[in-house]
Amino acid sequence: MAARSANTAQSAHQPLAERLRPRTLGEVIGQQHVLGPGMPLRLAFESGRPHSCILWGPPGVGKTTIARLMADAFDAQFISISAVLGGVKDIREAVEQAQAARDGLMQQRTIVFVDEVHRFNKSQQDAFLPHVESGLFTFIGATTENPSFEVNSALLSRAAVYVLQPLSEADLKQIVALAQAEQALPAIESVAVDRLVAYADGDARRLLNTLETLAMAAAQEKLTEITDVWLLKVLGERMRRYDKGGEQFYDTISALHKSVRGSDPDAALYWLVRMLDGGADPRYMARRLVRMAAEDIGLADPRALRLALDASEVYERLGSPEGELALAECVVYLAVAPKSNAVYKAYNAARAWVKQDGTRPVPMHLRNAPTKLMKELDYGKGYRYAHDEEGGFAAGENYLPEGMADPGFYQPVERGLEIKIAQKMRELRDRNVAATGAADLPDADA
């Protein structure tokens, strides 16, 4: 998010966020990793040529502000569409306005800004493609979700992605100072400022809205200073829930994760409800549950991952508060499910191995041979089709690069489904030994 010193001609009746909104790039607070001198988005502004982009970051970090500044920098018509409320009709109208601006006497550029672009479905996102390609308008999408998963690959390939970060404590304190400089609120005790900054949790919009609420309450009571005691009295419930001084957000999610890993459903439910009560985004919670299912349960109970994905989908369909019950159901299931981090450990071991190892050639018998030349070069020669072998297993076959010892990445645990997986691996290992005299599969007893 950003803030700026308001011009004296501005109406005091404007919302504080609008009064402090930056009018130039230099007035933006935060996001210096992309807006600072020599940084990619700053260079884009300075190039004189706008380009389509996706601004990815949490709420209240300046996505809309940056899009508006880009329109100002290029003297472009700015058209804003909300993907939550808009649809094809809004896209069609934006196209018509862009055509009118392009073909008018001033021949003005157009920037189409789509807030929460991940809310548009595939066909709605596809509707932008021909106009982005033709250069009719520059597309800027804002999203709080990972664009790799939520934005169509065709649209994503035509847009640069800029990752925006939550504002730092120093950034948020600077916004408080700007609000005070504009006499938008009285003096504030330093302890109260710290509490407000912790409550904002990197979100400038939340901070500005809270400051505006406090300013009105302080004016009614004719206060000359906002103290920490008064702050707690006015915003007591919200402050209790968001007070990061005593309960850091990431400490709480850590407690939830460890309660699930420790198979304590009551504790897991407690921490889940604490986070939801504290204003944590249920979608964020759903993503963390998916992670827990993959990391701590894995193949000991593969149903856990599916249940976590289902809980996420149920929440998307029902919203709050009904959808939160699905998250509670999921967290209890994850807590009582058998635990295994064998796949997690195997994946990390494989990553470490590949990072330090050379690029080994694919063995000839495992290569694909779609052309006559490749067949003549013995691509695929000697490959044994497992389905034609006894039990669907080519005993003694080697699937690793030549000369590479079996690394034994995956070691199933003796819990849940992995008990049977380990038994199966031992059986296959014995068949390999019988066929070759050497073990070609990892020892599942380890």
Side-chain angles (χ1 to χ4, degrees), residues 39-62:
M39 294 296 104
L41 197 48
R42 168 68 69 110
L43 293 175
F45 272 80
E46 294 172 349
S47 70
R49 300 185 61 184
H51 64 269
S52 294
C53 61
I54 304 287
L55 303 176
W56 172 27
V61 297

Side-chain angles (χ1 to χ4, degrees), residues 92-327:
R92 189 181 302 117
E93 290 176 355
V95 170
E96 292 172 356
Q97 292 178 50
Q99 289 171 335
R102 180 195 62 187
D103 300 335
L105 293 175
M106 302 298 292
Q107 294 187 338
Q108 190 179 26
R109 290 169 169 162
T110 296
I111 286 179
V112 175
F113 173 69
V114 181
D115 195 18
E116 302 291 343
V117 65
H118 61 275
R119 299 279 190 153
F120 270 156
N121 60 35
K122 183 179 185 302
S123 62
Q124 289 170 321
Q125 292 184 26
D126 284 345
F128 292 104
L129 288 175
H131 309 297
V132 171
E133 290 178 339
S134 70
L136 175 62
F137 55 69
T138 298
F139 172 85
I140 302 179
T143 179
T144 55
E145 304 294 327
N146 188 331
S148 300
F149 304 128
E150 305 294 344
V151 179
N152 290 353
S153 58
L155 185 57
L156 196 59
S157 68
R158 293 163 175 79
V161 176
Y162 297 105
V163 182
L164 306 186
Q165 304 293 343
L167 270 66
S168 68
E169 290 186 6
D171 293 334
L172 294 171
K173 287 181 178 180
Q174 191 175 345
I175 292 175
V176 175
L178 280 174
Q180 289 180 299
E182 292 305 313
Q183 299 181 340
L185 67 160
I188 306 180
E189 216 173 41
S190 60
V191 178
V193 172
D194 291 340
R195 191 181 297 278
L196 283 167
V197 166
Y199 165 70
D201 194 24
D203 184 336
R205 187 184 301 120
R206 179 188 292 169
L207 175 64
L208 288 166
N209 289 342
T210 305
L211 290 176
E212 197 156 35
T213 300
L214 291 174
M216 290 188 290
Q220 288 178 348
E221 296 189 25
K222 296 182 172 55
L223 296 180
T224 58
E225 182 182 41
I226 293 175
T227 66
D228 190 48
V229 172
W230 183 81
L231 178 66
L232 284 171
K233 184 181 77 170
V234 175
L235 298 175
E237 178 64 14
R238 280 192 282 175
M239 287 293 116
R240 178 191 68 77
R241 291 163 59 185
Y242 286 97
D243 180 11
K244 291 182 66 178
E247 45 188 55
Q248 293 288 338
F249 178 86
Y250 290 106
D251 285 346
T252 313
I253 190 64
S254 175
L256 170 60
H257 197 151
K258 288 169 181 171
S259 298
V260 167
R261 183 182 294 148
S263 300
D264 188 330
D266 286 343
L269 262 180
Y270 170 76
W271 292 117
L272 172 71
V273 173
R274 271 279 294 275
M275 294 205 70
L276 293 174
D277 178 64
D281 185 350
R283 294 179 182 84
Y284 169 80
M285 303 305 300
R287 290 195 297 271
R288 291 304 299 249
L289 294 179
V290 171
R291 166 71 184 198
M292 293 174 204
E295 177 181 341
D296 290 296
I297 296 165
L299 292 179
D301 186 351
R303 294 170 298 183
L305 184 57
R306 182 64 262 170
L307 188 70
L309 291 168
D310 286 344
S312 178
E313 183 179 345
V314 168
Y315 180 80
E316 288 295 337
R317 286 175 180 253
L318 296 182
S320 294
E322 291 88 350
E324 291 167 6
L325 179 59
L327 301 184

Side-chain angles (χ1 to χ4, degrees), residues 366-376 378-381:
L366 297 182
R367 298 188 187 189
N368 191 28
T371 68
K372 181 180 178 182
L373 175 61
M374 289 178 172
K375 290 177 182 176
E376 291 174 351
D378 291 340
Y379 279 41
K381 184 177 180 180

